[in-house]
Amino acid sequence: MSWVRVRGFDCFVAEFGSGDRTIVLIHGWCSDSTDWVDQISAFAGDARVVTLDLRGHGHSERTASGYGSVELAEDVIAVLDHLGLSDSHLVGHSLGGIIAHLVAVRRPDLVRSVLLIDPAYGQPEEWEGQVRAIIGDPASADSAERAAVAADLEPEVHNSVTAARRIRRRLQALALGPEVVWPTFAGMWCGEDAPGLRPQTERAIRERRRPTLCIYAYEPTYIWESHLVDELGLDTRVELWTGVTHFLHQDDPERFNKVASAWFDANRL
């Protein structure tokens, strides 16, 4: 475990296990590397597993700026380059799904395959207005508490989660503070080039050339991406899981780890 200096900040990186394949795990918004404990224990027996805390999250350094999704993807690219990693299997959840997808498009030489867990991309353009309404005034006195409430967005749009997980999310958001939470949140869907909005997502998917598995809990985006990749004839498999939440890798780790391991095996060098 160490801090890697890239792009003007110290990024916390942890490595586990060894083997002939490398798996890089990228967490979501208001989360950190601890989200992957069930996957680390399952994959590290025969693989090199690398986790990192995104800029401003977990143990990584907070900076005054740099929280757009594209900037976070460039951070991950810099970490992979620093570690000398190539042909890695990227696994990303939610915001981490946007980032893993962007890394694969921008630097396919670093990527063997992509596994996206309920990625936050592909949202309709009207989503931006809803996000801006949630953010409101980030300098207001209640901003930190509203940021913690916003971390509960997943129950509203994906499925309900357990009370314990909701408490954990609120604590993580409060610890990060609005100066990290809001720019990261807005960076997914706000602005002309926001990669989480549908037109930008579609353009990037059209450029994606690495084998990709998308596992959704959110049906509307599942339907949209399924039709798109079928139309384009891309090397992408899209699945919808029912009875799970946005955190499906935590809800049913045994099932997820089995599917992920089979995916990695199918995409060996």
Side-chain angles (χ1 to χ4, degrees), residues 20-24 80 84-90 107-113 210 267-269:
D20 62 356
R21 62 187 175 196
T22 301
I23 301 166
V24 179
L80 298 181
L85 298 179
S86 61
D87 286 316
S88 297
H89 301 280
L90 301 188
R107 287 289 303 277
D109 58 300
L110 299 177
V111 180
R112 168 55 39 187
S113 75
R210 288 292 178 262
N267 289 282
R268 285 185 178 274
L269 282 173

Side-chain angles (χ1 to χ4, degrees), residues 1 14 16 25-27 31-45 49-51 53 165 168 172 249-251 253-254 256-257:
M1 299 183 187
F16 305 85
L25 306 174
I26 308 171
H27 67 77
S31 298
D32 55 44
S33 293
T34 61
D35 274 19
W36 300 109
V37 291
D38 290 315
Q39 284 66 54
I40 293 167
S41 59
F43 301 153
V49 180
V50 178
T51 69
D53 289 348
R165 187 177 299 145
R168 178 183 177 183
Q172 287 175 309
H249 57 301
Q250 298 175 8
D251 294 337
E254 183 176 354
F256 174 79
N257 295 344

Side-chain angles (χ1 to χ4, degrees), residues 28-30 67-70 93-96 98 118-135 150-151 153-154 157-158 169 181-201 218 221 246:
W29 177 64
C30 287
Y67 296 105
S69 300
V70 171
H93 169 237
S94 192
L95 164 63
I98 294 179
D118 220 20
Y121 66 30
Q123 302 306 330
E125 292 178 273
E126 57 267 26
W127 193 273
E128 179 175 357
Q130 299 174 36
V131 169
R132 291 193 184 279
I134 291 169
I135 294 172
L153 181 65
E154 284 80 6
V157 296
H158 294 284
R169 291 277 287 167
V181 170
W182 293 134
T184 310
F185 191 59
M188 289 185 268
W189 306 296
C190 295
E192 198 172 295
D193 298 320
L197 294 180
R198 191 159 292 182
Q200 293 87 308
T201 301
Y218 188 47
T221 319
H246 182 52

Side-chain angles (χ1 to χ4, degrees), residues 7-261:
R7 290 172 44 83
F9 81 107
D10 291 327
C11 182
F12 178 74
V13 178
E15 298 190 43
F16 305 85
S18 62
D20 62 356
R21 62 187 175 196
T22 301
I23 301 166
V24 179
L25 306 174
I26 308 171
H27 67 77
W29 177 64
C30 287
S31 298
D32 55 44
S33 293
T34 61
D35 274 19
W36 300 109
V37 291
D38 290 315
Q39 284 66 54
I40 293 167
S41 59
F43 301 153
D46 62 355
R48 180 184 183 186
V49 180
V50 178
T51 69
L52 56 89
D53 289 348
L54 297 174
R55 180 188 295 257
H57 291 67
H59 296 295
S60 288
E61 183 180 353
R62 296 184 186 184
T63 57
S65 60
Y67 296 105
S69 300
V70 171
E71 294 169 295
L72 295 175
E74 290 296 328
D75 290 344
V76 172
I77 288 171
V79 170
L80 298 181
D81 278 336
H82 181 90
L83 297 176
L85 298 179
S86 61
D87 286 316
S88 297
H89 301 280
L90 301 188
V91 182
H93 169 237
S94 192
L95 164 63
I98 294 179
I99 293 169
H101 155 76
L102 289 174
V103 172
V105 170
R106 288 169 169 254
R107 287 289 303 277
D109 58 300
L110 299 177
V111 180
R112 168 55 39 187
S113 75
V114 186
L115 199 171
L116 307 179
I117 305 167
D118 220 20
Y121 66 30
Q123 302 306 330
E125 292 178 273
E126 57 267 26
W127 193 273
E128 179 175 357
Q130 299 174 36
V131 169
R132 291 193 184 279
I134 291 169
I135 294 172
D137 179 7
S140 64
D142 67 341
S143 183
E145 180 57 31
R146 287 191 302 101
V149 172
D152 284 340
L153 181 65
E154 284 80 6
E156 302 298 329
V157 296
H158 294 284
N159 288 308
S160 61
V161 299
T162 64
R165 187 177 299 145
R166 187 169 296 155
I167 290 170
R168 178 183 177 183
R169 291 277 287 167
R170 288 175 65 86
L171 289 172
Q172 287 175 309
L174 285 168
L176 291 179
E179 66 275 16
V180 173
V181 170
W182 293 134
T184 310
F185 191 59
M188 289 185 268
W189 306 296
C190 295
E192 198 172 295
D193 298 320
L197 294 180
R198 191 159 292 182
Q200 293 87 308
T201 301
E202 179 173 338
R203 284 198 296 270
I205 287 177
R206 288 175 178 272
E207 298 175 11
R208 196 168 63 200
R209 295 294 180 267
R210 288 292 178 262
T212 302
L213 169 60
C214 298
I215 305 177
Y216 279 102
Y218 188 47
E219 188 170 7
T221 319
Y222 157 76
I223 294 171
W224 171 77
E225 182 161 4
S226 295
H227 291 161
L228 178 63
V229 299
D230 284 348
E231 173 191 331
L232 298 175
L234 296 179
D235 188 7
T236 297
R237 190 172 100 214
V238 187
E239 298 182 1
L240 177 67
W241 288 15
T242 59
V244 291
T245 75
H246 182 52
F247 298 84
L248 60 91
H249 57 301
Q250 298 175 8
D251 294 337
D252 194 345
E254 183 176 354
R255 179 186 180 190
F256 174 79
N257 295 344
K258 183 177 180 180
V259 169
S261 294

